[in-house]
């Protein structure tokens, strides 16, 4: 059974710092991996999608990498801003079954202090 | 930008009552999902729906739950007899009919269900 773990559970950084969020998954048989942002009490906003054949994806100040064989992904946020404060969720789409469901980690709560 | 919309944003119901959560997926998407997030826990998959039938469901999705696409735009989740442990944020999501590798799921803002 696929398990997704995110470390650290919480992270507090000063504004302007570059930071890395980590995600690991137990089964490398995945189709893709998605990073989401969740603001308190709100929905999930898709940030980046990395297909299993890709190594990284970039969007603005965000860069996500994927090492499928070792079951790891990282989300790099450059020049962090207070508006980046949120919970960041990692989710994988496992092979098998309907092939379309996502398995989520518990998230990393990021606080960027002005 | 197209988005998934959910109503209501918050629903309070008495234990044993039926509730219906409503979603309008992105218009050209063909795959629809319900997930839930109990406070402080992971987002959990409940059910996926394609071509007017359930394509996969989790062990959480027992016979108290049902889904329906009553018309061309709405997608609903019904809980027949709510329990206290059904209290959670329920998310609807949709995705286009791409290959599994490039399928990207888009989520709504959620309905917070409180069972009292």
């Amino acid at each position: 059974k696929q398990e997704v773990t995110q470390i650290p559970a919480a992270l507090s950084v000063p504004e302007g710092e570059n930071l890395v969020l980590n995600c690991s998954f137990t089964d490398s048989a995945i189709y893709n991996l998605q990073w989401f942002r969740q603001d308190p009490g709100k929905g999930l906003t898709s940030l980046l999608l990395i297909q299993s054949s890709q190594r990284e994806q970039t969007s603005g100040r965000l860069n996500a990498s994927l090492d499928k064989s070792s079951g790891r992904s990282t989300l790099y946020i450059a020049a962090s801003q207070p508006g980046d404060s949120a919970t960041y969720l990692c989710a994988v789409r496992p092979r098998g079954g309907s092939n379309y469901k996502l398995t989520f980690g518990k998230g990393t709560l990021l606080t960027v202090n002005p | 930008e197209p988005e998934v919309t959910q109503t209501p944003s918050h629903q309070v119901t008495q234990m044993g009552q039926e509730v219906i959560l409503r979603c309008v997926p992105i218009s050209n998407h063909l795959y629809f999902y319900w997930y839930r997030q109990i406070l402080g826990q992971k987002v959990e998959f409940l059910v996926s729906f394609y071509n007017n039938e359930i394509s996969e469901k989790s062990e959480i999705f027992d016979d108290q739950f049902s889904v329906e696409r009553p018309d061309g735009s709405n997608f609903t989740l019904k809980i027949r007899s709510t329990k206290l442990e059904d209290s959670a944020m329920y998310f609807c999501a949709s995705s286009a009919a791409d290959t599994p590798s490039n399928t990207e799921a888009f989520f709504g803002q959620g309905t917070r269900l409180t069972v009292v």
Side-chain angles (χ1 to χ4, degrees):
Chain A
K1 183 186 170 188
Q2 179 74 265
E3 294 286 340
V4 179
T5 303
Q6 293 187 246
I7 293 172
L11 181 65
S12 182
V13 300
E15 183 177 1
E17 192 161 297
N18 302 327
L19 59 100
V20 174
L21 307 180
N22 297 291
C23 171
S24 61
F25 46 97
T26 54
D27 188 342
S28 61
I30 64 169
Y31 281 113
N32 61 35
L33 182 147
Q34 240 178 303
W35 281 94
F36 294 88
R37 170 188 172 132
Q38 183 177 29
D39 292 287
K42 302 293 186 185
L44 310 179
T45 301
S46 180
L47 297 174
L48 287 164
L49 173 84
I50 312 180
Q51 297 182 36
S52 61
S53 59
Q54 298 174 326
R55 297 286 292 183
E56 65 178 74
Q57 281 287 338
T58 298
S59 176
R61 293 182 294 108
L62 306 180
N63 176 278
S65 70
L66 174 64
D67 183 343
K68 196 177 68 154
S69 60
S70 68
R72 294 177 193 274
S73 176
T74 61
L75 180 67
Y76 173 83
I77 302 177
S80 57
Q81 303 169 357
D84 294 331
S85 297
T87 297
Y88 290 81
L89 301 176
C90 163
V92 299
R93 183 167 279 102
R95 292 182 181 266
S98 71
N99 300 330
Y100 286 88
K101 74 175 186 185
L102 290 167
T103 301
F104 282 82
K106 204 170 178 183
T108 293
L109 174 61
L110 173 66
T111 304
V112 181
N113 301 299
Chain B
E1 186 172 324
E3 60 181 16
V4 177
T5 57
Q6 291 185 243
T7 55
S9 56
H10 191 190
Q11 175 139 11
V12 181
T13 189
Q14 290 206 323
M15 192 167 53
Q17 295 295 304
E18 173 184 288
V19 294
I20 297 176
L21 310 183
R22 301 180 192 278
C23 169
V24 178
I26 294 173
S27 63
N28 63 340
H29 285 183
L30 297 179
Y31 287 85
F32 314 116
Y33 317 84
W34 285 100
Y35 289 78
R36 78 172 185 189
Q37 185 178 35
I38 295 171
L39 191 64
Q41 297 189 23
K42 294 183 179 184
V43 176
E44 302 173 286
F45 169 79
L46 293 178
V47 66
S48 60
F49 190 86
Y50 171 71
N51 201 25
N52 284 320
E53 61 183 23
I54 291 173
S55 52
E56 187 171 0
K57 59 184 180 179
S58 72
E59 57 272 15
I60 302 168
F61 194 90
D62 61 22
D63 57 7
Q64 291 299 306
F65 291 87
S66 62
V67 289
E68 192 178 29
R69 187 148 164 85
D71 53 43
S73 60
N74 291 284
F75 180 52
T76 62
L77 174 69
K78 182 193 292 186
I79 309 174
R80 275 183 251 286
S81 178
T82 49
K83 306 183 187 73
L84 294 176
E85 55 264 36
D86 293 327
S87 295
M89 181 76 97
Y90 287 80
F91 293 109
C92 174
S94 68
S95 61
D98 294 319
T99 63
S101 291
N102 60 16
T103 290
E104 184 172 6
F106 294 89
F107 283 70
Q109 293 297 298
T111 292
R112 178 160 299 286
L113 176 66
T114 303
V115 182
V116 297

